[in-house]
Amino acid sequence: DGGITQSPKYLFRKEGQNVTLSCEQNLNHDAMYWYRQDPGQGLRLIYYSQIVNDFQKGDIAEGYSVSREKKESFPLTVTSAQKNPTAFYLCASRSDRLPNEKLFFGSGTQLSVL
Amino acid sequence: DAKTTQPNSMESNEEEPVHLPCNHSTISGTDYIHWYRQLPSQGPEYVIHGLTSNVNNRMASLAIAEDRKSSTLILHRATLRDAAVYYCIVQRSGGSNYKLTFGKGTLLTVNP
């Protein structure tokens, strides 16, 4: 089945540690996105990528980094510079063949600080 | 970005229609209006989208104002499974259409 896979489902981070969240899609989509969601809040855009080897900062990129070496993969690293990393992280992808293409979301990763 | 404004929460009774409003006063002529919903502890899922005309699908209907500055998502008969957060977003066409931002959405509670 085509879709977006995020792993792990739950992740724990120690103080000063970098952690990487995985996002893989087999939908052949060019555009990929990372969002952060805090309890009771909406989605905030961290980074997005329109094409391989290119990505743009979203609204809350500080303390995060990404790479886009392959079309299928868009991993997100939460660095030690992110002082409040506890949140639900969502990855999404979208085709860009037409301007009205819809977003497909993964099932999310819950990150907590030990 | 074209910002959207939605009520924080709404409540409905089961089997009754629900009208979820969204304001997008800065929308441009070729921007699409998309609706997504998010069930607890899940990623959002697509509901419906439109440009100018009203749209219907198996999940919902979308009514778009004539000036396109607002839209309404209509659930014709709410069920308990429709309890979710509903997001309205504007997707730009053209070169800047990749940055897709969400607001806080509307939390819909459905009473049995």
mmCIF file of all heavy atoms in Angstrom, chain A residues 39-63:
data_model
loop_
_atom_site.group_PDB
_atom_site.id
_atom_site.type_symbol
_atom_site.label_atom_id
_atom_site.label_comp_id
_atom_site.label_asym_id
_atom_site.label_seq_id
_atom_site.Cartn_x
_atom_site.Cartn_y
_atom_site.Cartn_z
ATOM 1 N N PRO A 39 0.098 19.946 22.695
ATOM 2 C CA PRO A 39 -1.238 19.551 23.174
ATOM 3 C C PRO A 39 -2.265 20.670 23.030
ATOM 4 O O PRO A 39 -2.030 21.799 23.466
ATOM 5 C CB PRO A 39 -0.978 19.214 24.645
ATOM 6 C CG PRO A 39 0.438 18.787 24.692
ATOM 7 C CD PRO A 39 1.155 19.652 23.684
ATOM 8 N N GLY A 40 -3.387 20.348 22.419
ATOM 9 C CA GLY A 40 -4.464 21.314 22.265
ATOM 10 C C GLY A 40 -4.186 22.416 21.261
ATOM 11 O O GLY A 40 -4.975 23.364 21.167
ATOM 12 N N GLN A 41 -3.109 22.303 20.531
ATOM 13 C CA GLN A 41 -2.740 23.339 19.571
ATOM 14 C C GLN A 41 -2.834 22.819 18.136
ATOM 15 O O GLN A 41 -2.954 21.622 17.906
ATOM 16 C CB GLN A 41 -1.304 23.819 19.846
ATOM 17 C CG GLN A 41 -1.092 24.356 21.247
ATOM 18 C CD GLN A 41 -1.925 25.588 21.502
ATOM 19 O OE1 GLN A 41 -1.947 26.518 20.700
ATOM 20 N NE2 GLN A 41 -2.637 25.601 22.621
ATOM 21 N N GLY A 42 -2.730 23.745 17.204
ATOM 22 C CA GLY A 42 -2.737 23.370 15.801
ATOM 23 C C GLY A 42 -1.363 22.911 15.351
ATOM 24 O O GLY A 42 -0.464 22.666 16.160
ATOM 25 N N LEU A 43 -1.192 22.784 14.037
ATOM 26 C CA LEU A 43 0.072 22.331 13.466
ATOM 27 C C LEU A 43 0.934 23.541 13.109
ATOM 28 O O LEU A 43 0.445 24.493 12.495
ATOM 29 C CB LEU A 43 -0.182 21.531 12.191
ATOM 30 C CG LEU A 43 -0.631 20.080 12.324
ATOM 31 C CD1 LEU A 43 -1.994 19.965 12.966
ATOM 32 C CD2 LEU A 43 -0.627 19.406 10.968
ATOM 33 N N ARG A 44 2.187 23.479 13.478
ATOM 34 C CA ARG A 44 3.123 24.536 13.107
ATOM 35 C C ARG A 44 4.210 23.971 12.196
ATOM 36 O O ARG A 44 4.766 22.915 12.487
ATOM 37 C CB ARG A 44 3.741 25.165 14.360
ATOM 38 C CG ARG A 44 2.743 25.971 15.180
ATOM 39 C CD ARG A 44 3.417 26.726 16.303
ATOM 40 N NE ARG A 44 3.893 25.824 17.354
ATOM 41 C CZ ARG A 44 4.703 26.201 18.335
ATOM 42 N NH1 ARG A 44 5.143 27.443 18.399
ATOM 43 N NH2 ARG A 44 5.079 25.339 19.261
ATOM 44 N N LEU A 45 4.500 24.680 11.131
ATOM 45 C CA LEU A 45 5.408 24.196 10.092
ATOM 46 C C LEU A 45 6.864 24.380 10.504
ATOM 47 O O LEU A 45 7.285 25.500 10.827
ATOM 48 C CB LEU A 45 5.132 24.931 8.778
ATOM 49 C CG LEU A 45 5.944 24.541 7.555
ATOM 50 C CD1 LEU A 45 5.672 23.088 7.167
ATOM 51 C CD2 LEU A 45 5.624 25.468 6.396
ATOM 52 N N ILE A 46 7.637 23.293 10.466
ATOM 53 C CA ILE A 46 9.047 23.348 10.854
ATOM 54 C C ILE A 46 9.928 23.536 9.611
ATOM 55 O O ILE A 46 10.689 24.493 9.509
ATOM 56 C CB ILE A 46 9.479 22.063 11.586
ATOM 57 C CG1 ILE A 46 8.566 21.778 12.781
ATOM 58 C CG2 ILE A 46 10.930 22.178 12.048
ATOM 59 C CD1 ILE A 46 8.836 20.436 13.445
ATOM 60 N N TYR A 47 9.851 22.603 8.687
ATOM 61 C CA TYR A 47 10.598 22.646 7.442
ATOM 62 C C TYR A 47 9.737 22.053 6.330
ATOM 63 O O TYR A 47 8.861 21.248 6.587
ATOM 64 C CB TYR A 47 11.892 21.813 7.537
ATOM 65 C CG TYR A 47 13.119 22.543 7.999
ATOM 66 C CD1 TYR A 47 13.520 22.487 9.327
ATOM 67 C CD2 TYR A 47 13.885 23.279 7.105
ATOM 68 C CE1 TYR A 47 14.662 23.161 9.759
ATOM 69 C CE2 TYR A 47 15.034 23.945 7.522
ATOM 70 C CZ TYR A 47 15.415 23.883 8.855
ATOM 71 O OH TYR A 47 16.548 24.536 9.274
ATOM 72 N N TYR A 48 10.042 22.438 5.100
ATOM 73 C CA TYR A 48 9.416 21.803 3.958
ATOM 74 C C TYR A 48 10.416 21.712 2.816
ATOM 75 O O TYR A 48 11.383 22.476 2.768
ATOM 76 C CB TYR A 48 8.134 22.518 3.523
ATOM 77 C CG TYR A 48 8.289 23.946 3.070
ATOM 78 C CD1 TYR A 48 8.255 24.278 1.723
ATOM 79 C CD2 TYR A 48 8.424 24.975 4.000
ATOM 80 C CE1 TYR A 48 8.364 25.591 1.308
ATOM 81 C CE2 TYR A 48 8.540 26.283 3.604
ATOM 82 C CZ TYR A 48 8.503 26.594 2.265
ATOM 83 O OH TYR A 48 8.618 27.901 1.862
ATOM 84 N N SER A 49 10.157 20.750 1.942
ATOM 85 C CA SER A 49 11.069 20.497 0.829
ATOM 86 C C SER A 49 10.257 20.325 -0.445
ATOM 87 O O SER A 49 9.310 19.551 -0.488
ATOM 88 C CB SER A 49 11.882 19.229 1.101
ATOM 89 O OG SER A 49 12.589 18.818 -0.048
ATOM 90 N N GLN A 50 10.633 21.049 -1.471
ATOM 91 C CA GLN A 50 9.921 20.975 -2.743
ATOM 92 C C GLN A 50 10.516 19.913 -3.650
ATOM 93 O O GLN A 50 9.834 19.399 -4.538
ATOM 94 C CB GLN A 50 9.986 22.330 -3.449
ATOM 95 C CG GLN A 50 9.349 23.456 -2.665
ATOM 96 C CD GLN A 50 9.605 24.825 -3.290
ATOM 97 O OE1 GLN A 50 9.664 25.815 -2.587
ATOM 98 N NE2 GLN A 50 9.736 24.885 -4.597
ATOM 99 N N ILE A 51 11.804 19.620 -3.430
ATOM 100 C CA ILE A 51 12.486 18.712 -4.346
ATOM 101 C C ILE A 51 13.725 18.183 -3.649
ATOM 102 O O ILE A 51 14.184 18.767 -2.652
ATOM 103 C CB ILE A 51 12.842 19.460 -5.653
ATOM 104 C CG1 ILE A 51 13.124 18.494 -6.793
ATOM 105 C CG2 ILE A 51 13.966 20.430 -5.427
ATOM 106 C CD1 ILE A 51 13.197 19.172 -8.149
ATOM 107 N N VAL A 52 14.280 17.106 -4.179
ATOM 108 C CA VAL A 52 15.493 16.523 -3.602
ATOM 109 C C VAL A 52 16.606 17.561 -3.530
ATOM 110 O O VAL A 52 16.758 18.392 -4.430
ATOM 111 C CB VAL A 52 15.943 15.307 -4.450
ATOM 112 C CG1 VAL A 52 17.281 14.776 -3.956
ATOM 113 C CG2 VAL A 52 14.901 14.213 -4.393
ATOM 114 N N ASN A 53 17.352 17.514 -2.428
ATOM 115 C CA ASN A 53 18.494 18.399 -2.177
ATOM 116 C C ASN A 53 18.112 19.860 -2.000
ATOM 117 O O ASN A 53 18.972 20.753 -2.132
ATOM 118 C CB ASN A 53 19.558 18.270 -3.280
ATOM 119 C CG ASN A 53 20.228 16.908 -3.278
ATOM 120 O OD1 ASN A 53 20.480 16.339 -2.211
ATOM 121 N ND2 ASN A 53 20.515 16.381 -4.442
ATOM 122 N N ASP A 54 16.860 20.114 -1.708
ATOM 123 C CA ASP A 54 16.419 21.483 -1.450
ATOM 124 C C ASP A 54 15.372 21.484 -0.346
ATOM 125 O O ASP A 54 14.477 20.624 -0.336
ATOM 126 C CB ASP A 54 15.827 22.102 -2.714
ATOM 127 C CG ASP A 54 15.438 23.554 -2.482
ATOM 128 O OD1 ASP A 54 16.310 24.365 -2.122
ATOM 129 O OD2 ASP A 54 14.246 23.873 -2.644
ATOM 130 N N PHE A 55 15.474 22.397 0.610
ATOM 131 C CA PHE A 55 14.459 22.509 1.656
ATOM 132 C C PHE A 55 14.438 23.949 2.164
ATOM 133 O O PHE A 55 15.410 24.699 1.996
ATOM 134 C CB PHE A 55 14.716 21.533 2.803
ATOM 135 C CG PHE A 55 16.134 21.483 3.297
ATOM 136 C CD1 PHE A 55 16.599 22.405 4.223
ATOM 137 C CD2 PHE A 55 16.999 20.494 2.843
ATOM 138 C CE1 PHE A 55 17.909 22.350 4.694
ATOM 139 C CE2 PHE A 55 18.310 20.432 3.299
ATOM 140 C CZ PHE A 55 18.763 21.364 4.222
ATOM 141 N N GLN A 56 13.313 24.310 2.762
ATOM 142 C CA GLN A 56 13.092 25.681 3.232
ATOM 143 C C GLN A 56 12.658 25.664 4.686
ATOM 144 O O GLN A 56 11.963 24.741 5.124
ATOM 145 C CB GLN A 56 11.996 26.363 2.404
ATOM 146 C CG GLN A 56 12.185 26.289 0.900
ATOM 147 C CD GLN A 56 13.402 27.025 0.424
ATOM 148 O OE1 GLN A 56 13.776 28.037 1.000
ATOM 149 N NE2 GLN A 56 14.033 26.535 -0.623
ATOM 150 N N LYS A 57 13.039 26.706 5.424
ATOM 151 C CA LYS A 57 12.582 26.844 6.799
ATOM 152 C C LYS A 57 11.108 27.201 6.822
ATOM 153 O O LYS A 57 10.637 28.013 6.014
ATOM 154 C CB LYS A 57 13.384 27.922 7.525
ATOM 155 C CG LYS A 57 14.834 27.549 7.757
ATOM 156 C CD LYS A 57 15.548 28.646 8.536
ATOM 157 C CE LYS A 57 17.003 28.264 8.787
ATOM 158 N NZ LYS A 57 17.725 29.317 9.533
ATOM 159 N N GLY A 58 10.417 26.613 7.793
ATOM 160 C CA GLY A 58 9.044 26.996 8.036
ATOM 161 C C GLY A 58 8.992 28.094 9.084
ATOM 162 O O GLY A 58 9.889 28.930 9.177
ATOM 163 N N ASP A 59 7.963 28.056 9.917
ATOM 164 C CA ASP A 59 7.761 29.115 10.899
ATOM 165 C C ASP A 59 8.519 28.897 12.208
ATOM 166 O O ASP A 59 8.733 29.837 12.966
ATOM 167 C CB ASP A 59 6.264 29.247 11.200
ATOM 168 C CG ASP A 59 5.480 29.613 9.952
ATOM 169 O OD1 ASP A 59 5.938 30.496 9.200
ATOM 170 O OD2 ASP A 59 4.416 29.017 9.715
ATOM 171 N N ILE A 60 8.928 27.662 12.495
ATOM 172 C CA ILE A 60 9.604 27.371 13.779
ATOM 173 C C ILE A 60 10.806 26.462 13.569
ATOM 174 O O ILE A 60 10.958 25.450 14.223
ATOM 175 C CB ILE A 60 8.614 26.744 14.796
ATOM 176 C CG1 ILE A 60 7.949 25.481 14.215
ATOM 177 C CG2 ILE A 60 7.549 27.739 15.216
ATOM 178 C CD1 ILE A 60 7.310 24.614 15.274
ATOM 179 N N ALA A 61 11.718 26.832 12.677
ATOM 180 C CA ALA A 61 12.839 25.960 12.302
ATOM 181 C C ALA A 61 13.975 25.928 13.329
ATOM 182 O O ALA A 61 14.810 25.017 13.300
ATOM 183 C CB ALA A 61 13.377 26.394 10.955
ATOM 184 N N GLU A 62 14.036 26.891 14.230
ATOM 185 C CA GLU A 62 15.167 26.962 15.154
ATOM 186 C C GLU A 62 15.229 25.719 16.043
ATOM 187 O O GLU A 62 14.243 25.328 16.650
ATOM 188 C CB GLU A 62 15.059 28.209 16.026
ATOM 189 C CG GLU A 62 16.275 28.429 16.902
ATOM 190 C CD GLU A 62 16.224 29.751 17.642
ATOM 191 O OE1 GLU A 62 15.383 30.601 17.301
ATOM 192 O OE2 GLU A 62 17.047 29.928 18.564
ATOM 193 N N GLY A 63 16.439 25.109 16.092
ATOM 194 C CA GLY A 63 16.613 23.912 16.905
ATOM 195 C C GLY A 63 16.347 22.618 16.158
ATOM 196 O O GLY A 63 16.421 21.531 16.735
#
